[in-house]
Amino acid sequence: MVLLFAVLAFLPILVTLILMMGLNRPAKEALPIAWGLAGIIGILAWKMDIRTVAATTLYGFLSSIEVLLVIFGAILIMNTLKHSGGMASINRGFMHLSRDKRVQAIIIGFLFGSFIEGAAGFGTPAALAAPLLVSLGFPPLAAATVALIFDSAAVSFGAVGTPVATALTQLGDSVPQDFAGKLSFMTALPHGIVGLFLPFLGLCVLTKVFGKEKSFRPAINALPFALFSGLVFSVPYVIIAKVFGYEFPSLLAALIGLAITVFAAKKQFLTPKRVWDFGEGNLYAETEGKGMPLIQAWEPYLLIAAVLVVTRIPAFGIKSIINTRAIFPFVLSIDNILGVEQLDFALKWVNSPGVLPFIPVAIITHFLHRMPKEKIKLAWTDTFKQIGGAAVAIVFGIALVQVMKFSDINRSGMHSMMTVMAELLSHAGRALFVVLSPLIGILGSFISGSNAVSNLLFTNLQFETAKTLGLDTVLVVAMQVIGGAVGNVICVNNVVAVCATVGMAGKEGKIIKMNLIPTAIYTVAIIGIFAVLFAFV
């Protein structure tokens, strides 16, 4: 019976994968179908009321506003810089730093993306890094793919440690006082080890799939620089997690790694001797407005980074204000949607990176870059056009998640669809559970689009299963947190968001398919590292 319900719960996800990866249908077609199927299964098998399905769907629609604001803001920033001439200047600056696309991918996709992940998270890094790579001459599909691969190691400590904080909140007083410190270190250590090789892994996909040679050789030639960039990120990452805890590993390690790697690239330290490009004559690079000073072109990004740090780090005191539900101007809330008691929606609109800082910075840039009215109009109209297809996919994707998540509001007494799937995996034996535990984390983030939400859903399940099987609870919860980060590479919401920002809407299935192999490699490496840790801890 449990198996039957687990299969039924997995059907909407299976249909999504078949439509997007097997039949190459765009997400805006696949996700509404999957949502409809989840609703039917919820009503017939889980005995949900039609009103509950409608309420959870509406909750999903409302929840999608925050994601859409991030995508809209990221696209607006890119279009503003494109039409102001700022992107051409940034392009020129990177060409002076290094014309090698492998070096540019590491600096922007891996290190700059990890810094944004550490500050903001929630799909922001790839949505910012991928369009920037496109402006430097990367094919849009290549930029989107590699930006997602690189946005993985930093995710567990993204948004100033939100995923780990979420896991700890779920455990509450059931863990000893030193649990948080141990969890921080045991999450960072495997990520740090794999993070050494992550830049090289991204380059392998870049050169094999998108290079004119269709070969791993250009990636191998860049191996010394790739390992160096991984090292200057991973070592501070693990040390900071051990000494200071879970809030700053991604933020500070990326900042340290970025400074060192940029300096190394300037000095051509360990950089490849021969410049590598896509062999397409930089067809995608901007050539307009090359006269803008580089510092002026970078002003929007400097403003974004500064605002994200000030508003996300608790010490500045702003984070608590814009996150407090009681403060009406900053949080819009609706309680008991359609009369369903457990469904209370709160839109922390000021806390959305789209609202603060993307859209205001874009508007400020109109003046900083002295844009004429016709250019400003073009930036906004292009943005509204680009977000159209993504809006349908995001709205129904999040509605699907909420129907599955709140399917425990039913007359059958069953757990939610997500919990039923995870419980089936948790019934494995002690040895097999070590393999399956990170897969539960991956499943959570793949479906929900968030490492934090994955931890919200499954941390307690992982913890209790670990106790039952006599496994180290710190290591099992760490596997959940890391799995949620790895799932970030292929989760539907992030893929839809990054495709929208680079103008590749409809290609989501292709990206997920390409990123399955690096995701599998990351997962196998993590499982291997944890197998060793379980043997010695």
Side-chain angles (χ1 to χ4, degrees), residues 423-437:
E423 281 180 338
L424 182 68
L425 295 176
S426 71
H427 287 157
R430 180 186 169 95
L432 190 56
F433 186 72
V434 175
V435 175
L436 295 177
S437 179

Side-chain angles (χ1 to χ4, degrees), residues 425 434-444 462 479-480 483 523 527:
L425 295 176
V434 175
V435 175
L436 295 177
S437 179
L439 298 182
I440 295 173
I442 291 172
L443 174 69
Q462 298 260 29
M479 285 199 290
Q480 160 62 38
T523 305
I527 290 170

Side-chain angles (χ1 to χ4, degrees), residues 62-76:
L62 292 170
S63 299
S64 68
I65 295 171
E66 191 166 357
V67 180
L68 289 171
L69 284 171
V70 173
I71 301 171
F72 181 86
I75 297 173
L76 181 61

Side-chain angles (χ1 to χ4, degrees), residues 90-222:
I90 290 171
N91 185 8
R92 187 179 74 248
F94 271 106
M95 291 302 178
H96 288 161
L97 177 64
S98 174
R99 299 185 67 85
D100 195 303
K101 292 292 178 281
R102 297 163 295 184
V103 175
Q104 293 172 357
I106 289 171
I107 291 173
I108 296 172
F110 178 52
L111 294 167
F112 176 70
S114 294
F115 171 75
I116 298 299
E117 178 64 50
F122 299 101
T124 310
L128 279 180
L132 189 51
L133 290 173
V134 171
S135 77
L136 292 170
F138 284 64
L141 209 57
T145 301
V146 78
L148 286 165
I149 293 170
F150 285 147
D151 188 24
S152 48
V155 172
S156 288
F157 300 107
V160 201
T162 297
V164 176
T166 303
L168 291 169
T169 300
Q170 295 309 297
L171 296 173
D173 297 329
S174 61
V175 294
Q177 197 170 4
D178 62 347
F179 190 92
K182 290 179 179 178
L183 178 62
S184 179
F185 178 64
M186 285 304 180
T187 299
L189 184 60
H191 265 321
I193 294 170
V194 181
L196 281 169
F197 305 96
L198 184 59
F200 177 65
L201 181 61
L203 294 187
C204 284
V205 175
L206 195 68
T207 61
K208 177 65 176 177
V209 178
F210 300 100
K212 60 182 177 181
E213 313 92 336
K214 305 295 180 187
S215 167
F216 292 121
R217 188 174 295 278
I220 295 170
N221 291 339

Side-chain angles (χ1 to χ4, degrees), residues 25-38:
R25 304 312 302 165
K28 66 181 180 180
E29 293 179 15
L31 291 171
I33 293 171
W35 160 79
L37 180 58

